[in-house]
């Protein structure tokens, strides 16, 4: 079955740039979305349709795509950015949604 | 600002049916897609399925045989039923706005499957 693959963990120092990747064969043809989830909170949509930021999301969060990989870039990481991050997209049919396995971002 | 709130039993016995309802702020149901998503303890997010306000549905193939999502636009609510539950269905269940890309979420409700 189709999967979106994320690294389980990424570590970065405050002020540095974090890049979280998500790979899937259908990504060249489907929109990708990114979510942040902190403990005991609901996920928050960070990036929509690959590179659009919803209102209220800081500009330090951005999305990009290269081939079958999409990347969430967090510039100038802050301690408050420590959280789980999920990519989400659709399968090749565009009918079924799915999430990546999630990446835990640790701010050192 | 769309607001969503899940409600339903926090404890369900194995083999029984899990039932949850999501209440949406006034007027928001029409014209939109609405989804259910869950997160089991220690695991990642799993999309369960979505319903359009008119009633058409799409379910995760891995859960399709056990899932029913319905909508009652007159009450600004949509609902989830998951039958024949096991311990593997223990999770925080979220309702969310959207069919692909979820821009508003409920706070989530923990459902434990245990006898």
């Amino acid at each position: 079955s189709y999967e979106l693959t994320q690294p389980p963990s990424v570590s970065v120092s405050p002020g540095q740039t974090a890049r979280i990747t998500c790979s899937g064969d259908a990504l060249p043809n489907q929109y990708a979305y990114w979510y942040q989830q902190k403990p005991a909170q609901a996920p928050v949509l960070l990036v929509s349709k690959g590179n659009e930021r919803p209102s209220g999301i800081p500009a330090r969060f951005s999305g990009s795509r290269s081939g079958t990989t999409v990347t969430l870039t967090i510039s100038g990481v802050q301690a408050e950015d420590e959280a789980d991050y999920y990519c989400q997209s659709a399968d090749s049919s565009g009918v079924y949604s799915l999430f990546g396995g999630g990446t835990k971002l640790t701010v050192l | 600002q769309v607001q969503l709130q899940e409600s339903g039993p926090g404890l369900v016995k194995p083999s029984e049916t899990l039932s949850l309802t999501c209440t949406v702020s006034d007027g928001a149901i029409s014209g939109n897609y609405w989804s259910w998503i869950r997160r089991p303890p220690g695991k990642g997010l799993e999309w369960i399925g979505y319903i359009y306000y008119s009633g058409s549905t799409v379910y995760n193939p891995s859960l399709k045989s056990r899932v029913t999502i319905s909508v009652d636009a007159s009450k600004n609510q949509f609902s989830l039923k998951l039958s024949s539950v096991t311990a593997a269905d223990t999770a925080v269940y979220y309702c969310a706005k959207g069919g692909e890309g979820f821009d508003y979420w409920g706070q989530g409700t923990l459902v434990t499957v245990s006898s």
Side-chain angles (χ1 to χ4, degrees):
Chain A
S1 62
Y2 182 57
E3 293 181 348
L4 296 173
T5 302
Q6 298 181 234
S9 63
V10 168
S11 299
V12 64
S13 299
Q16 299 300 305
T17 296
R19 293 179 180 85
I20 299 172
T21 59
C22 172
S23 298
D25 289 341
L27 285 173
N29 300 306
Q30 302 296 338
Y31 285 128
Y33 303 81
W34 288 96
Y35 302 85
Q36 176 193 68
Q37 187 174 30
K38 296 182 179 180
Q41 295 184 21
V44 173
L45 179 64
L46 295 176
V47 174
S48 179
K49 297 183 178 179
N51 59 10
E52 298 176 0
R53 265 191 325 277
S55 175
I57 301 301
R60 66 178 185 274
F61 294 95
S62 63
S64 62
R65 187 184 73 198
S66 177
T68 59
T69 298
V70 294
T71 301
L72 173 70
T73 300
I74 310 172
S75 304
V77 167
Q78 302 178 6
E80 67 193 48
D81 297 331
E82 188 163 283
D84 293 329
Y85 291 83
Y86 293 89
C87 63
Q88 177 251 315
S89 187
D91 69 348
S92 57
S93 72
V95 173
Y96 303 108
S97 285
L98 72 160
F99 290 90
T103 298
K104 181 174 181 57
L105 177 68
T106 300
V107 181
L108 301 171
Chain B
Q1 181 86 356
V2 178
Q3 295 182 324
L4 300 90
Q5 178 68 58
E6 304 90 350
S7 60
L11 181 63
V12 181
K13 290 182 168 54
S15 80
E16 296 189 345
T17 296
L18 178 160
S19 296
L20 295 173
T21 295
C22 183
T23 301
V24 181
S25 53
D26 283 350
I29 280 272
S30 294
N32 291 305
Y33 291 87
W34 303 93
S35 289
W36 286 98
I37 295 155
R38 69 181 182 180
R39 183 175 183 181
K43 296 188 177 181
L45 297 170
E46 180 180 32
W47 172 73
I48 299 171
Y50 70 70
I51 189 164
Y52 191 47
Y53 80 104
S54 62
S56 60
T57 56
V58 174
Y59 301 137
N60 186 324
S62 69
L63 298 169
K64 183 178 181 179
S65 63
R66 299 193 293 130
V67 172
T68 302
I69 299 176
S70 59
V71 65
D72 186 340
S74 67
K75 295 183 179 179
N76 294 306
Q77 294 178 334
F78 64 105
S79 299
L80 169 70
K81 291 188 184 298
L82 182 65
S83 64
S84 305
V85 297
T86 70
D89 295 309
T90 293
V92 176
Y93 285 77
Y94 298 96
C95 58
K97 174 177 169 285
E100 179 194 334
F102 311 108
D103 51 359
Y104 293 96
W105 296 64
Q107 65 184 26
T109 187
L110 174 63
V111 179
T112 302
V113 178
S114 175
S115 55

